[in-house]
Amino acid sequence: MRVIMNAIINKQYMKTLITSLLMFFAVSCGEQTKKDIIIKKKSTPLSDQEIKKQGYQIKKKDTFFIENGKLDIVRLEKIGSQSKSSDYKEGLYTRTINYYYGQKFKDGTFIEISGGNISGYRKLITSERSLFKTRYIYNSSGYLKSVGRSYKSNFSIGIRYYFNEDGTIANYEDYDKCYTFSWEDVTSFLKEKEIEKEEIIDVFRNDKDEECVWVIVFKPEEFNNKDKAIHLILEAETGTIISSKIIDTGRHI
């Protein structure tokens, strides 16, 4: 079983052990080799004061389309494209105009601003060099309401900050709280197991049922032209593989 467990996450053995791998799924994944257990040293958690200081620094760096401490709505309405829409507010649908403006920079960064005076506005920052995106939410007057980061498959990462109109932090939510095994550790895991970027179908978090786990779905070369993929679940604190199986992508993805 230990040999098979190592084989499932090392693609160089995939060709010779596909049959054994399928047989393995009928067996419990309770045992695991030391090689498969990556212990992450716990870092010292930030204090409430440090977390808020970090939040104010993030807000201070929000300068694109910002005028007098809030989103420059006048500029957006002047140079952005328009589209008619119906927004829901206070129990009624109201016809309104939404605006959109996007700008791409030489370093591969792309910033999009959209919204209207009923539902408020959104600024989305993405980059060709990053798998993450930063989303700023503003109210209908242009004041920052919240800011946070998320992965391309939309799981939140890091700390999301919520602001009052006067710019003070109302509260925050730490999405990394139970994930001692961090995103950086996940990328190291993928590199160690020789799981190529092109093979990855999805990486996401699942913290339902009070259990925090990482989920990795990838399609090794041996599964090309097949509706199959490997589905791994890693424990969120240590990176221990707690589940591994072959799935039918036609049904699960």
Side-chain angles (χ1 to χ4, degrees):
M1 178 174 178
R2 292 181 176 178
V3 173
I4 298 173
M5 194 62 203
N6 279 331
I8 193 173
I9 53 176
N10 288 277
K11 71 174 186 179
Q12 61 264 42
Y13 296 112
M14 287 293 294
K15 289 183 179 180
T16 58
L17 289 175
I18 289 294
T19 303
S20 298
L21 192 59
L22 289 168
M23 294 174 60
F24 168 74
F25 299 141
V27 183
S28 168
C29 291
E31 296 182 28
Q32 188 161 15
T33 65
K34 291 183 179 180
K35 185 178 180 180
D36 291 331
I37 302 176
I38 304 173
I39 302 298
K40 171 71 165 59
K41 293 182 179 179
K42 292 186 177 181
S43 57
T44 304
L46 297 176
S47 66
D48 179 74
Q49 184 177 0
E50 291 172 324
I51 291 175
K52 288 184 177 180
K53 181 179 179 181
Q54 180 177 271
Y56 287 124
Q57 291 173 342
I58 292 173
K59 183 179 184 299
K60 187 177 181 180
K61 291 179 180 179
D62 180 27
T63 58
F64 187 74
F65 258 68
I66 298 298
E67 182 70 25
N68 297 323
K70 60 180 183 177
L71 187 70
D72 193 344
I73 298 173
V74 174
R75 183 183 175 193
L76 175 62
E77 293 178 349
K78 183 177 180 180
I79 67 174
S81 59
Q82 300 181 15
S83 63
K84 294 181 179 180
S85 177
S86 295
D87 287 337
Y88 188 78
K89 185 178 182 181
E90 297 179 354
L92 297 172
Y93 281 99
T94 304
R95 294 184 64 82
T96 185
I97 296 177
N98 285 335
Y99 297 87
Y100 171 84
Y101 176 79
Q103 183 173 336
K104 188 173 183 178
F105 298 84
K106 292 182 179 180
D107 64 356
T109 300
F110 187 47
I111 301 180
E112 299 173 274
I113 302 174
S114 60
N117 62 1
I118 293 181
S119 60
Y121 302 86
R122 180 187 76 164
K123 180 191 294 178
L124 185 64
I125 303 178
T126 57
S127 173
E128 296 174 352
R129 299 180 299 174
S130 176
L131 295 173
F132 295 92
K133 51 191 175 185
T134 302
R135 181 181 282 104
Y136 295 82
I137 303 297
Y138 306 86
N139 67 15
S140 58
S141 298
Y143 289 103
L144 181 64
K145 290 178 61 179
S146 68
V147 58
R149 297 176 69 226
S150 61
Y151 184 64
K152 63 179 182 179
S153 59
N154 288 323
F155 71 78
S156 295
I157 194 167
I159 298 173
R160 178 174 298 279
Y161 294 93
Y162 300 89
F163 294 86
N164 299 308
E165 277 200 2
D166 63 3
T168 58
I169 294 176
N171 53 64
Y172 56 82
E173 188 170 2
D174 186 0
Y175 287 94
D176 292 344
K177 189 174 182 179
C178 67
Y179 289 91
T180 307
F181 195 77
S182 67
W183 170 255
E184 289 72 23
D185 296 314
V186 170
T187 57
S188 296
F189 173 89
L190 296 173
K191 184 176 181 180
E192 177 188 340
K193 305 307 177 184
E194 299 183 14
I195 300 174
E196 302 293 339
K197 178 181 178 181
E198 295 74 18
E199 297 176 340
I200 298 173
I201 296 175
D202 202 0
V203 178
F204 59 94
R205 290 173 167 179
N206 189 342
D207 48 20
K208 297 179 181 179
D209 302 321
E210 299 182 355
E211 181 183 18
C212 299
V213 296
W214 285 100
V215 180
I216 300 172
V217 183
F218 69 102
K219 192 180 184 75
E221 184 179 349
E222 289 71 24
F223 285 170
N224 283 348
N225 302 317
K226 297 179 181 179
D227 292 333
K228 303 291 182 182
I230 294 180
H231 182 281
L232 299 178
I233 298 180
L234 310 185
E235 198 274 330
E237 186 173 354
T238 64
T240 302
I241 299 174
I242 57 179
S243 173
S244 53
K245 61 183 178 181
I246 293 176
I247 62 172
D248 184 340
T249 56
R251 296 178 59 185
H252 290 82
I253 302 302

